[in-house]
Amino acid sequence: MHLTHLECPRCGLDHPADKLQNLCGCGSPLLARYDLAMVAATVTPEQFGLRPADLWRYRELLPVADPRFVTTLGEGWTPLWHARAYGHEIGVDELIVKDEGLTPTGSFKARGAAVGVSRARELGVERIAMPTNGNAGAAWATYAARAQMGATIAMPLAAPTICRQECVAAGADLRLVDGLIGDAGREIAALVADSGGRVFDAGTLREPYRLEGKKTMGYEIVEQLGWQVPDVIIYPTGGGVGLIGIHKALHELRELGWVEDRLPRLVAVQSTGCAPIVRAFAAGEARATPWVDAHTVAFGITVPAPLGDELILTALRESSGTAIAVDDAEIVADLRDFAAREGLLLCPEGAACLTAARHLRAGGWIRPGERVVVLNTGAGIKYPGLV
Ligand SMILES: *Cc1c(COP(=O)(O)O)cnc(C)c1O
Ligand SMILES: [Zn+2]
């Protein structure tokens, strides 16, 4: 394993990676760091192509030392589909959808759960706990079951029923909360504090390894495009883990010397009903202020106060990207239009990225001929009431 330490992106303090860690003392999430020179000396990009089609093909860049702790259900290596008909319609001929709907548990949360649960097991965790908008809880409950680990999941009552059912099926201790994800977070914080160290807080960005699982989307996009970076990557942003992860992955690939010295422009998409990142980006702020009265059909991106706000905003600015809010009615219309034209039923969060692509192309921010990758973060069939 080439993991060396955990680094605080805010105060710069290093923390050891061989014991359980949550946030830095300064309150920031921690980032896993690797000896990339050693990685480059150990493996070449071509070798990945010979390995199994899951995210563990990037094991030199992942935090699990002993393969016995790898907990897997076959997550990763999801397809890139060229959306010719829909792309032509909106003036983006090179519109590519990465379909995370094919991931175990029906959302890309499985990537974070696979790596997060594996590393937690390796470090001796017996029970994890987290607040969730649904998909993360479903994924972590599922992978925890696979790892013979306990899981306590707190979820808003309004979250998709299927995610509750997945938690129950996986044997998790499910707590339904009459409120938003922040309220669920308070319940979990109290439970972890009272557990005397027996329950590990695996909430979004509260431990460093979920991010490592999600960053593999960035490696895959680049590898699947023949070790080329696209011009634009559009991501439905709630907690922002995927966006921060893709940004981190691109930097690692650059430092490894495996891609050209150019970053894709990263786009954070939010709903007009919950857009703290869009507001902070437009105002030029370094941090986001909490969004009041959050509501949207794209439940996975209903995060009024993301813990990773600084990291998200840095990734957007550093990549010359942008942040855009889209309307629920347009999300649903684009979801239907895309399904009819392309035969792929997206989740509303993925459809929000199409709406964003349409507006960004119409406004000229996306230029003719640019290659645009959109993340469909979950399976449309998890939201049967939407169409
Ligand atoms: C969680 C989730 C998101 C947002 O992911 P972040 O990485 O936390 O921003 C987007 N789409 C779906 C379907 C989700 O479940
Ligand atoms: Zn710090």
Side-chain angles (χ1 to χ4, degrees):
M1 184 174 70
H2 304 293
L3 178 68
T4 53
H5 63 284
L6 301 169
E7 183 186 293
C8 175
R10 186 186 295 162
C11 76
L13 202 67
D14 287 349
H15 300 259
D18 57 359
K19 63 188 198 61
L20 288 171
Q21 298 280 4
N22 287 112
L23 299 178
C24 180
C26 76
S28 171
L30 296 174
L31 300 178
R33 295 299 183 205
Y34 299 80
D35 184 343
L36 294 178
M38 273 299 288
V39 173
T42 309
V43 63
T44 62
E46 292 70 38
Q47 281 171 282
F48 292 115
L50 305 171
R51 294 181 176 179
D54 62 41
L55 62 77
W56 299 99
R57 70 206 271 117
Y58 304 111
R59 57 180 176 263
E60 286 86 353
L61 295 156
L62 291 173
V64 183
D66 183 341
R68 284 179 308 144
F69 293 107
V70 168
T71 305
T72 182
L73 290 164
E75 56 288 334
W77 204 252
T78 54
L80 291 186
W81 300 122
H82 187 181
R84 274 193 193 80
Y86 184 89
H88 183 71
E89 178 70 19
I90 67 166
V92 182
D93 287 330
E94 285 283 311
L95 182 68
I96 295 166
V97 174
K98 185 159 179 63
D99 188 16
E100 293 290 305
L102 293 173
T103 313
T105 75
S107 89
F108 77 127
K109 292 293 195 303
R111 293 181 187 264
V115 175
V117 163
S118 298
R119 183 62 176 160
R121 270 265 285 142
E122 187 163 57
L123 295 176
V125 172
E126 285 176 358
R127 173 170 291 272
I128 55 102
M130 70 171 61
T132 174
N133 272 333
N135 281 329
W140 282 74
T142 301
Y143 282 84
R146 182 111 179 115
Q148 266 85 56
M149 199 188 276
T152 301
I153 309 290
M155 191 183 294
L157 267 169
T161 342
I162 178 70
C163 299
R164 291 189 205 173
Q165 292 159 334
E166 290 175 276
C167 290
V168 171
D173 166 17
L174 174 67
R175 316 276 176 99
L176 293 175
V177 177
D178 189 5
L180 290 176
I181 189 165
D183 304 296
R186 276 180 282 282
E187 169 145 356
I188 292 298
L191 183 140
V192 169
D194 292 345
S195 78
R198 278 176 302 111
V199 180
F200 182 61
D201 186 346
T204 304
L205 291 171
R206 289 185 181 276
E207 57 75 51
Y209 301 116
R210 180 196 296 211
L211 181 69
E212 294 305 288
K214 285 194 174 182
K215 79 176 179 184
T216 58
M217 289 187 291
Y219 296 154
E220 287 181 21
I221 290 169
V222 170
E223 185 180 354
Q224 290 169 316
L225 293 176
W227 298 96
Q228 303 276 317
V229 299
D231 298 298
V232 175
I233 297 178
I234 307 185
Y235 185 80
T237 303
V241 189
L243 188 104
I244 299 164
I246 290 171
H247 181 245
K248 182 174 189 281
L250 292 163
H251 271 282
E252 287 169 351
L253 292 179
R254 276 212 310 195
E255 205 172 319
L256 285 158
W258 293 348
V259 291
E260 61 190 298
D261 220 17
R262 179 173 71 96
L263 278 184
R265 303 186 329 268
L266 301 178
V267 179
V269 181
Q270 301 201 295
S271 158
T272 50
C274 182
I277 294 297
V278 177
R279 183 169 63 190
F281 182 83
E285 309 279 1
R287 306 285 313 257
T289 47
W291 192 269
V292 182
D293 284 337
H295 60 87
T296 162
V297 294
F299 213 76
I301 54 175
T302 321
V303 182
L307 185 62
D309 54 350
E310 263 174 308
L311 292 167
I312 300 169
L313 289 161
T314 302
L316 298 180
R317 295 200 174 106
E318 202 222 3
S319 68
S320 306
T322 191
I324 178 170
V326 297
D327 175 81
D328 274 9
E330 286 190 73
I331 294 175
V332 178
D334 281 316
L335 185 147
R336 292 190 67 148
D337 190 22
F338 189 86
R341 286 179 196 279
E342 300 288 348
L344 182 58
L345 185 61
L346 305 184
C347 64
E349 297 82 0
C353 295
L354 296 178
T355 308
R358 194 160 53 72
H359 285 294
L360 291 172
R361 177 66 196 98
W365 191 88
I366 294 174
R367 294 183 289 269
E370 286 195 314
R371 184 182 258 183
V372 178
V373 174
V374 157
L375 274 302
N376 177 48
T377 42
I381 50 169
K382 285 191 94 168
Y383 310 76
L386 208 56
V387 175

PDB file of all heavy atoms in Angstrom, residues 82 100 111 122 126 132 186 264 298 301:
ATOM      1  N   HIS A  82     -22.229   7.568 -25.278  1.00  0.00           N
ATOM      2  CA  HIS A  82     -22.310   8.762 -26.105  1.00  0.00           C
ATOM      3  C   HIS A  82     -23.804   9.027 -26.382  1.00  0.00           C
ATOM      4  O   HIS A  82     -24.467   8.196 -26.987  1.00  0.00           O
ATOM      5  CB  HIS A  82     -21.546   8.531 -27.408  1.00  0.00           C
ATOM      6  CG  HIS A  82     -21.434   9.760 -28.242  1.00  0.00           C
ATOM      7  ND1 HIS A  82     -20.808   9.770 -29.468  1.00  0.00           N
ATOM      8  CD2 HIS A  82     -21.856  11.026 -28.039  1.00  0.00           C
ATOM      9  CE1 HIS A  82     -20.867  10.987 -29.980  1.00  0.00           C
ATOM     10  NE2 HIS A  82     -21.499  11.769 -29.132  1.00  0.00           N
ATOM     11  N   GLU A 100     -23.712   5.623 -13.610  1.00  0.00           N
ATOM     12  CA  GLU A 100     -23.510   5.037 -12.284  1.00  0.00           C
ATOM     13  C   GLU A 100     -24.757   4.287 -11.804  1.00  0.00           C
ATOM     14  O   GLU A 100     -24.744   3.680 -10.738  1.00  0.00           O
ATOM     15  CB  GLU A 100     -23.149   6.138 -11.290  1.00  0.00           C
ATOM     16  CG  GLU A 100     -21.791   6.766 -11.558  1.00  0.00           C
ATOM     17  CD  GLU A 100     -20.665   5.791 -11.251  1.00  0.00           C
ATOM     18  OE1 GLU A 100     -20.615   5.285 -10.125  1.00  0.00           O
ATOM     19  OE2 GLU A 100     -19.852   5.523 -12.143  1.00  0.00           O
ATOM     20  N   ARG A 111     -19.530   3.173  -4.393  1.00  0.00           N
ATOM     21  CA  ARG A 111     -18.070   3.328  -4.488  1.00  0.00           C
ATOM     22  C   ARG A 111     -17.480   3.773  -3.157  1.00  0.00           C
ATOM     23  O   ARG A 111     -16.495   3.224  -2.663  1.00  0.00           O
ATOM     24  CB  ARG A 111     -17.708   4.381  -5.539  1.00  0.00           C
ATOM     25  CG  ARG A 111     -18.038   4.003  -6.951  1.00  0.00           C
ATOM     26  CD  ARG A 111     -17.602   5.145  -7.880  1.00  0.00           C
ATOM     27  NE  ARG A 111     -18.035   4.902  -9.237  1.00  0.00           N
ATOM     28  CZ  ARG A 111     -17.273   4.351 -10.185  1.00  0.00           C
ATOM     29  NH1 ARG A 111     -16.027   4.024  -9.928  1.00  0.00           N
ATOM     30  NH2 ARG A 111     -17.747   4.152 -11.394  1.00  0.00           N
ATOM     31  N   GLU A 122     -10.558  -2.717   8.202  1.00  0.00           N
ATOM     32  CA  GLU A 122      -9.116  -2.922   8.399  1.00  0.00           C
ATOM     33  C   GLU A 122      -8.628  -2.230   9.671  1.00  0.00           C
ATOM     34  O   GLU A 122      -7.717  -2.701  10.340  1.00  0.00           O
ATOM     35  CB  GLU A 122      -8.355  -2.384   7.179  1.00  0.00           C
ATOM     36  CG  GLU A 122      -6.876  -2.682   7.190  1.00  0.00           C
ATOM     37  CD  GLU A 122      -6.242  -2.513   5.811  1.00  0.00           C
ATOM     38  OE1 GLU A 122      -6.343  -1.405   5.240  1.00  0.00           O
ATOM     39  OE2 GLU A 122      -5.669  -3.477   5.292  1.00  0.00           O
ATOM     40  N   GLU A 126     -16.406  -1.860  14.301  1.00  0.00           N
ATOM     41  CA  GLU A 126     -17.441  -2.896  14.343  1.00  0.00           C
ATOM     42  C   GLU A 126     -18.830  -2.374  14.013  1.00  0.00           C
ATOM     43  O   GLU A 126     -19.718  -3.125  13.630  1.00  0.00           O
ATOM     44  CB  GLU A 126     -17.435  -3.580  15.709  1.00  0.00           C
ATOM     45  CG  GLU A 126     -16.234  -4.504  15.793  1.00  0.00           C
ATOM     46  CD  GLU A 126     -16.059  -5.175  17.126  1.00  0.00           C
ATOM     47  OE1 GLU A 126     -16.860  -4.911  18.036  1.00  0.00           O
ATOM     48  OE2 GLU A 126     -15.105  -5.949  17.234  1.00  0.00           O
ATOM     49  N   THR A 132     -28.107  10.440   6.288  1.00  0.00           N
ATOM     50  CA  THR A 132     -28.107  10.248   4.838  1.00  0.00           C
ATOM     51  C   THR A 132     -29.396  10.785   4.229  1.00  0.00           C
ATOM     52  O   THR A 132     -30.419  10.853   4.907  1.00  0.00           O
ATOM     53  CB  THR A 132     -27.985   8.741   4.506  1.00  0.00           C
ATOM     54  OG1 THR A 132     -28.125   8.537   3.094  1.00  0.00           O
ATOM     55  CG2 THR A 132     -29.088   7.934   5.182  1.00  0.00           C
ATOM     56  N   ARG A 186     -27.563  15.512  13.587  1.00  0.00           N
ATOM     57  CA  ARG A 186     -27.534  15.769  15.038  1.00  0.00           C
ATOM     58  C   ARG A 186     -27.841  14.493  15.825  1.00  0.00           C
ATOM     59  O   ARG A 186     -27.228  14.216  16.853  1.00  0.00           O
ATOM     60  CB  ARG A 186     -28.501  16.907  15.400  1.00  0.00           C
ATOM     61  CG  ARG A 186     -27.857  18.287  15.191  1.00  0.00           C
ATOM     62  CD  ARG A 186     -28.789  19.428  15.552  1.00  0.00           C
ATOM     63  NE  ARG A 186     -29.782  19.687  14.509  1.00  0.00           N
ATOM     64  CZ  ARG A 186     -29.524  20.355  13.369  1.00  0.00           C
ATOM     65  NH1 ARG A 186     -28.323  20.827  13.143  1.00  0.00           N
ATOM     66  NH2 ARG A 186     -30.467  20.541  12.470  1.00  0.00           N
ATOM     67  N   PRO A 264     -10.069  19.356 -16.694  1.00  0.00           N
ATOM     68  CA  PRO A 264     -11.398  19.634 -17.232  1.00  0.00           C
ATOM     69  C   PRO A 264     -12.054  20.711 -16.374  1.00  0.00           C
ATOM     70  O   PRO A 264     -11.753  20.819 -15.180  1.00  0.00           O
ATOM     71  CB  PRO A 264     -12.150  18.318 -17.064  1.00  0.00           C
ATOM     72  CG  PRO A 264     -11.150  17.303 -16.666  1.00  0.00           C
ATOM     73  CD  PRO A 264      -9.959  18.010 -16.124  1.00  0.00           C
ATOM     74  N   ALA A 298     -34.729  16.263  -6.642  1.00  0.00           N
ATOM     75  CA  ALA A 298     -33.418  15.606  -6.703  1.00  0.00           C
ATOM     76  C   ALA A 298     -32.904  15.446  -5.273  1.00  0.00           C
ATOM     77  O   ALA A 298     -32.048  16.191  -4.806  1.00  0.00           O
ATOM     78  CB  ALA A 298     -32.462  16.421  -7.561  1.00  0.00           C
ATOM     79  N   ILE A 301     -29.272  15.628  -3.782  1.00  0.00           N
ATOM     80  CA  ILE A 301     -28.499  16.881  -3.717  1.00  0.00           C
ATOM     81  C   ILE A 301     -29.157  17.914  -2.792  1.00  0.00           C
ATOM     82  O   ILE A 301     -28.867  19.101  -2.872  1.00  0.00           O
ATOM     83  CB  ILE A 301     -28.202  17.468  -5.124  1.00  0.00           C
ATOM     84  CG1 ILE A 301     -29.467  17.659  -5.957  1.00  0.00           C
ATOM     85  CG2 ILE A 301     -27.254  16.555  -5.869  1.00  0.00           C
ATOM     86  CD1 ILE A 301     -29.211  18.350  -7.306  1.00  0.00           C
TER      87      ILE A 301
END
